[in-house]
Amino acid sequence: MLPLSIAVIPWGILVGSYAIEVGLTSLESQGLSMIVFAGAAQLVALGMIKAGIGLTSILLTTLLITSRHLLYGMALRKDVSPLPLKWRLSLGFLLTDELFAIVTTSKEQQFNRWYALGGGLSFYVFWNIATLLGIIAGQSIPNMENWGLDFAIASTFIAIIIPMVKAKSILVCVLVSLVSSVVCSIYNIEIGLLISALIGMACGTLYARMTGEAV
């Protein structure tokens, strides 16, 4: 988890500094990362707050952005559902793209609740430390959102995805999702992320069945 945590530090700094620029207090800015704990959703919500958009629209938009976690939850259901409620709630809160990647990369390794909890908590700590650094910097350095720190978002996802492309069907899934997400972005389709994920998975599964590749 450490390389992914380090890679996401610029992203957390951006969130913290942007929250200050939007007008949130230091406590509110830190609380956003502690409670919401979703970088992309936080950035979008802050932009909408700055634009004066209402709470209902913010909630619906962030729900759509984080809808991919529904797919993550479905993928982990067989491992997590037998656990007690306190474990399901804890791992559900800590579930991020990064945590999902490390607990599903190795198919041979049996799911370990403590391993998942440790990975999730370490990332949570890093994220909030990065946010705190951004809050401090945002109070003294103006316009940090123009520094290009948001590239950390793309670099983190690249680091997560590339090691997982071990079969042609997965490559098909990635490429189709990529093209679909670009098209959805061009046409401003708000649920483009979810649509692209579903289309990509469908195409990857179809390719695997047509070619006889084991899924």
Side-chain angles (χ1 to χ4, degrees):
M1 203 65 171
L2 185 59
L4 294 174
S5 298
I6 294 175
V8 86
I9 288 177
W11 190 358
I13 292 175
L14 176 62
V15 168
S17 61
Y18 190 39
I20 294 297
E21 182 162 332
V22 165
L24 271 63
T25 66
S26 299
L27 183 61
E28 291 169 341
S29 302
Q30 191 68 58
L32 189 64
S33 281
M34 295 181 68
I35 298 172
V36 179
F37 188 40
Q42 289 178 232
L43 283 174
V44 171
L46 288 170
M48 296 177 74
I49 292 173
K50 188 175 183 179
I53 297 174
L55 178 60
T56 302
S57 297
I58 294 175
L59 292 176
L60 289 174
T61 301
T62 52
L63 176 63
L64 292 173
I65 291 172
T66 55
S67 57
R68 68 189 184 279
H69 288 79
L70 173 63
L71 303 177
Y72 295 163
M74 291 170 61
L76 295 173
R77 185 177 184 275
K78 62 180 177 62
D79 296 315
V80 177
S81 58
L83 300 179
L85 179 62
K86 62 180 181 181
W87 275 98
R88 298 200 303 273
L89 292 176
S90 299
L91 295 179
F93 174 73
L94 294 172
L95 181 59
T96 59
D97 306 290
E98 292 79 7
L99 180 60
F100 180 76
I102 68 167
V103 298
T104 58
T105 298
S106 177
K107 296 297 183 182
E108 293 77 20
Q109 181 179 352
Q110 186 177 2
F111 180 84
N112 186 309
R113 68 179 80 178
W114 291 103
Y115 177 78
L117 181 66
L121 282 175
S122 64
F123 191 77
Y124 181 76
V125 170
F126 263 88
W127 177 251
N128 279 279
I129 290 175
T131 301
L132 178 60
L133 294 175
I135 291 171
I136 296 172
Q139 293 174 332
S140 55
I141 306 175
N143 300 319
M144 284 193 66
E145 72 275 9
N146 297 326
W147 286 25
L149 296 177
D150 52 345
F151 179 72
I153 302 173
S155 63
T156 301
F157 279 103
I158 290 172
I160 291 172
I161 294 299
I162 289 180
M164 301 180 73
V165 182
K166 299 177 180 179
K168 291 182 179 179
S169 60
I170 299 177
L171 180 61
V172 169
C173 177
V174 171
L175 294 177
V176 171
S177 299
L178 173 63
V179 173
S180 176
S181 63
V182 172
V183 172
C184 290
S185 177
I186 292 174
Y187 288 97
N188 295 317
I189 300 175
E190 293 185 350
I191 59 172
L193 188 63
L194 181 60
I195 292 174
S196 300
L198 293 173
I199 293 176
M201 288 188 294
C203 290
T205 301
L206 181 62
Y207 176 87
R209 290 180 177 178
M210 291 176 62
T211 59
E213 179 185 308
V215 181

